[in-house]
Amino acid sequence: MLKDELIMQNFNELFSLYRNRFILFAISYVDNKEVAEDIVMDSFMYYWEKRTELADTSNIPGYILTTIKHKSLNYLKHKLHVEKTHSEIKSHQSRVTELNISSLEACEPQELLARELKALIMNTLKQLPEPTRTIFIKSRLNNKTYKEIGYDLNISEKSIEYHLTKAVKILKENLKDYLHLLILLSFFK
């Protein structure tokens, strides 16, 4: 029992004598007082846990200082790794942001909507019966009059009206979700 008390007393003296010096040593490398204090405390505890396994106990302060050195190195290597990772993430985020800016600057929403609407109109026209499609295209896309269409297809103006009414009804039905966009696009032309 007396031997354990003597060992503890020697350890306490060692701790009191070297603690502040060791903290200053660690601070000079890790540049953070709290981290340095933790490293020194961990190093003293590490020595205390390994004291029975040590073959040479003649230079205990040197052993603890070496432990502080290794723990400081580990801390700095980890800190460097974290900083590099943060830098890579930030660099990646910057590239993504630049790409988004570039993409948005090149984007023309009117053209995108116009292309989408044109495709929808063309698909709807393909679904129309042949005479209705032909009459609609001649009237609305080729700007021909009822009289010209009647002459080309050998049909009456009433027939032309019927087919155009049918085509417009089907187009309105298929484009009902886009009607507000068509109105909006007509203001920007």
Side-chain angles (χ1 to χ4, degrees):
M1 186 78 147
L2 191 58
K3 184 179 178 186
D4 288 342
E5 287 177 16
L6 186 58
I7 291 173
M8 184 60 104
Q9 182 180 355
N10 287 342
F11 180 76
N12 287 339
E13 288 173 11
L14 181 74
F15 181 79
S16 295
L17 184 62
Y18 287 99
R19 178 180 175 271
N20 289 334
R21 291 183 211 173
F22 287 167
I23 289 172
L24 290 174
F25 173 79
I27 287 174
S28 70
Y29 290 100
V30 300
D31 199 31
N32 183 312
K33 184 178 181 191
E34 291 79 23
V35 171
E37 288 173 349
D38 287 345
I39 288 172
V40 169
M41 291 304 292
D42 286 348
S43 298
F44 271 104
M45 286 173 42
Y46 182 79
Y47 160 73
W48 183 256
E49 292 168 357
K50 300 290 183 188
R51 72 187 182 282
T52 57
E53 300 169 21
L54 297 176
D56 180 20
T57 57
S58 62
N59 189 4
I60 296 169
Y63 178 84
I64 295 171
L65 191 58
T66 301
T67 305
I68 292 168
K69 170 192 159 187
H70 290 295
K71 288 184 180 288
S72 296
L73 276 171
N74 290 341
Y75 169 81
L76 291 172
K77 287 176 183 177
H78 176 73
K79 182 179 176 185
L80 182 63
H81 175 72
V82 168
E83 288 171 356
K84 282 182 179 178
T85 303
H86 284 174
S87 176
E88 289 169 6
I89 290 170
K90 188 173 182 176
S91 175
H92 174 73
Q93 288 172 336
S94 292
R95 284 192 303 273
V96 168
T97 301
E98 288 171 3
L99 182 62
N100 287 340
I101 289 170
S102 175
S103 178
L104 274 173
E105 286 175 344
C107 177
E108 291 296 332
Q110 294 172 7
E111 289 179 21
L112 293 174
L113 289 174
R115 271 189 252 138
E116 186 178 332
L117 286 171
K118 184 178 179 180
L120 187 60
I121 291 169
M122 296 310 285
N123 286 336
T124 301
L125 289 177
K126 287 178 186 175
Q127 295 171 8
L128 293 175
E130 180 55 37
T132 305
R133 178 177 48 246
T134 302
I135 292 168
F136 182 84
I137 289 172
K138 286 181 179 282
S139 172
R140 303 300 164 101
L141 302 180
N142 297 339
N143 295 320
K144 290 196 171 194
T145 65
Y146 285 14
K147 191 174 188 177
E148 292 171 321
I149 296 168
Y151 180 77
D152 288 349
L153 301 177
N154 197 23
I155 57 172
S156 70
E157 288 186 25
K158 284 285 185 194
S159 235
I160 294 169
E161 262 184 48
Y162 166 77
H163 285 288
L164 285 176
T165 302
K166 183 178 177 181
V168 168
K169 181 181 176 186
I170 293 171
L171 280 165
K172 278 184 180 179
E173 180 61 31
N174 286 356
L175 298 173
K176 68 182 178 212
D177 295 333
Y178 293 88
L179 208 49
H180 63 285
L181 293 175
L182 284 170
I183 294 167
L184 185 65
L185 282 176
S186 69
F187 285 115
F188 291 111
K189 287 187 177 182

